[in-house]
Amino acid sequence: MLAVSRKAQRFTESVIREMTRLCRQHDAVNLAQGFPDFAAPREIKDAACRAIEADVNQYAITWGAKSLRDAIAAKTERLYGLAVDPEREIAVTCGATEAMIASILAIVDPGDEVVVFEPFYENYGPDAILAGATPRFVPLRAPDWSFDPDELAAAFSDKTRAIILNTPNNPTGKVFTKEELEFIAKLCLKWDVLAITDEIYEHIIYDGHKHVPMASITGMPDRTITINGLSKTFSVTGWRVGWAIAPSDLAGPIRKMHDFLTVGAPAPLQEAGAVALAMPESYYTEMAAGYARRREILCDILERHGFKFNRPQGAYYIMTDVAHFGFDSDIECSTYLVKECRVATVPGSSFFNDKKAGRTKVRFVYSKREETLREADKRLAKLATRVTR
Ligand SMILES: Cc1ncc(COP(=O)(O)O)c(C=O)c1O
């Protein structure tokens, strides 16, 4: 066998994207991967077409088109009162995905430790491995996905370089409170640790919960890298436009990593991104209201079919407990759902380092049209013939 690197052997292909492949094979409804099956806003599609017609078709400035960086800075100031220098404190990347790996590579050395809450968005584990870092996992516990402050404090040490946060959270739907973030901030200050915070679901939030940016917490502006992107807010996951906002002494190295990873994000789509970020407040309110409706529809469907879960406070996922269904594992349950019911989900263990913690869990996504969710409802009826409740 040809030799491959030890790094490449330490993680598998994405389970989520594998579920999408299985979904196609079985002609299933895709409630696995977090992309919308509805249209992106007309205004931004038009803006993308205009940019291509205007021949914005060559490499953008490696750290991002000025129009997009200006729009990111203006929106951050407008929304949270946080001043960002678009010339020195922003790196535009190929999605939040690249912003995360570029940030980790920029600040972490082999042997450093990185604190990661679990369950976690599945990229964070491989990202840490690629950077040579050792992840220290701290559990978020169902049903409310809270963490034990003592357990978190015990994960920090002289070796800790960064903590990775994601709020609103995939896969749990948790929105970290200001008090929780303040507690994390105290640990970051005590141990001289940076926070890398993935806030890509900042606008998808329910029931009066508020998104609090880590960079707004006292003591954190100088030690926070905030990651975001167009994918979720504007229903354009295939455009691959994201960014990192960081103090200039961190943004510089992130830009350098990004330059040598991908050179630049798609140039015409960055121009469309500038138009997207200038959309009025009503866009965000209506988008969140649409997700609140979809959440109600899927919660109702899953309740009727016997799944157990806590309603998400933000993002667009439902992490369900399926222990009582009698499957041997989450993988067996997800495989049954995709092959027999023809509804694709993600086995819970793919979000955990401690695989047994995810063995009784299956994740659903509801960034889908109502018809798609209703079709899944019909198909899930078959589950009743299999489960041993
Ligand atoms: C928490 C989180 N971060 C990042 C991403 C990917 O973002 P992007 O499309 O900007 O790379 C996802 C996609 O599901 C996600 O759930």
Side-chain angles (χ1 to χ4, degrees), residues 16-17 33-35 93-100 120-124 165-171 198-201 227-232 236-243 315-317 351 363:
I16 299 179
R17 293 179 280 280
Q33 196 173 359
F35 63 83
T93 55
C94 295
T97 302
E98 197 219 338
M100 179 60 78
F120 51 83
Y121 173 54
E122 64 163 0
N123 281 32
Y124 302 159
L165 271 177
N166 170 218
T167 182
N169 185 262
N170 171 12
D198 179 341
E199 302 184 3
I200 196 158
Y201 297 102
I227 286 174
N228 214 318
L230 298 181
S231 281
K232 311 291 175 170
V236 288
T237 59
W239 281 18
R240 312 311 302 132
V241 178
W243 54 86
Y316 48 50
Y317 305 93
F351 304 99
R363 190 198 75 174

Side-chain angles (χ1 to χ4, degrees), residues 22 60 113 140 150 174 178 204 240 245-246 282 368 380:
L22 270 180
E113 292 190 358
L140 296 172
D150 294 335
K174 176 184 174 70
K178 185 156 189 258
I204 304 177
R240 312 311 302 132
I245 303 175
S282 56
K368 307 292 166 184
L380 284 170

Side-chain angles (χ1 to χ4, degrees), residues 153-210:
F156 281 69
S157 73
D158 287 336
K159 290 193 184 142
T160 314
R161 181 72 184 125
I163 177 166
I164 298 180
L165 271 177
N166 170 218
T167 182
N169 185 262
N170 171 12
T172 65
K174 176 184 174 70
V175 174
F176 283 74
T177 63
K178 185 156 189 258
E179 292 66 38
E180 287 174 320
L181 296 176
E182 283 170 346
F183 182 80
I184 297 166
K186 276 202 193 105
L187 291 172
C188 289
L189 289 164
K190 174 174 174 193
W191 293 100
D192 193 17
V193 161
L194 301 170
I196 312 178
T197 157
D198 179 341
E199 302 184 3
I200 196 158
Y201 297 102
E202 69 180 324
H203 295 289
I204 304 177
I205 204 153
Y206 318 103
D207 304 333
H209 288 283
K210 285 239 159 357

Side-chain angles (χ1 to χ4, degrees), residues 14-174:
S14 157
V15 177
I16 299 179
R17 293 179 280 280
E18 171 60 15
M19 285 312 292
T20 291
R21 281 192 289 273
L22 270 180
C23 180
R24 291 208 181 109
Q25 190 182 327
H26 294 281
D27 193 22
V29 172
N30 194 345
L31 301 191
Q33 196 173 359
F35 63 83
D37 68 349
F38 43 84
R42 180 81 262 158
E43 300 90 305
I44 75 165
K45 290 194 290 193
D46 288 346
C49 294
R50 277 199 308 275
I52 291 173
E53 285 300 336
D55 266 323
V56 185
N57 292 319
Q58 312 310 327
Y59 300 123
I61 298 172
T62 177
W63 54 82
K66 180 165 166 42
S67 58
L68 179 57
R69 281 182 286 114
D70 286 348
I72 294 167
K75 178 169 174 262
T76 311
E77 169 93 55
R78 189 169 74 235
L79 222 63
Y80 304 117
L82 296 170
V84 175
D85 178 352
E87 296 308 324
R88 297 162 67 236
E89 297 181 328
I90 296 173
V92 174
T93 55
C94 295
T97 302
E98 197 219 338
M100 179 60 78
I101 183 79
S103 300
I104 298 178
L105 287 171
I107 62 167
V108 169
D109 278 316
D112 288 347
E113 292 190 358
V114 175
V115 176
V116 182
F117 287 107
E118 78 170 337
F120 51 83
Y121 173 54
E122 64 163 0
N123 281 32
Y124 302 159
D127 284 350
I129 292 169
L130 289 172
T134 306
R136 290 287 305 265
F137 296 100
V138 174
L140 296 172
R141 291 208 170 80
D144 63 349
W145 305 107
S146 55
F147 60 85
D148 175 343
D150 294 335
E151 229 168 352
L152 180 64
F156 281 69
S157 73
D158 287 336
K159 290 193 184 142
T160 314
R161 181 72 184 125
I163 177 166
I164 298 180
L165 271 177
N166 170 218
T167 182
N169 185 262
N170 171 12
T172 65
K174 176 184 174 70

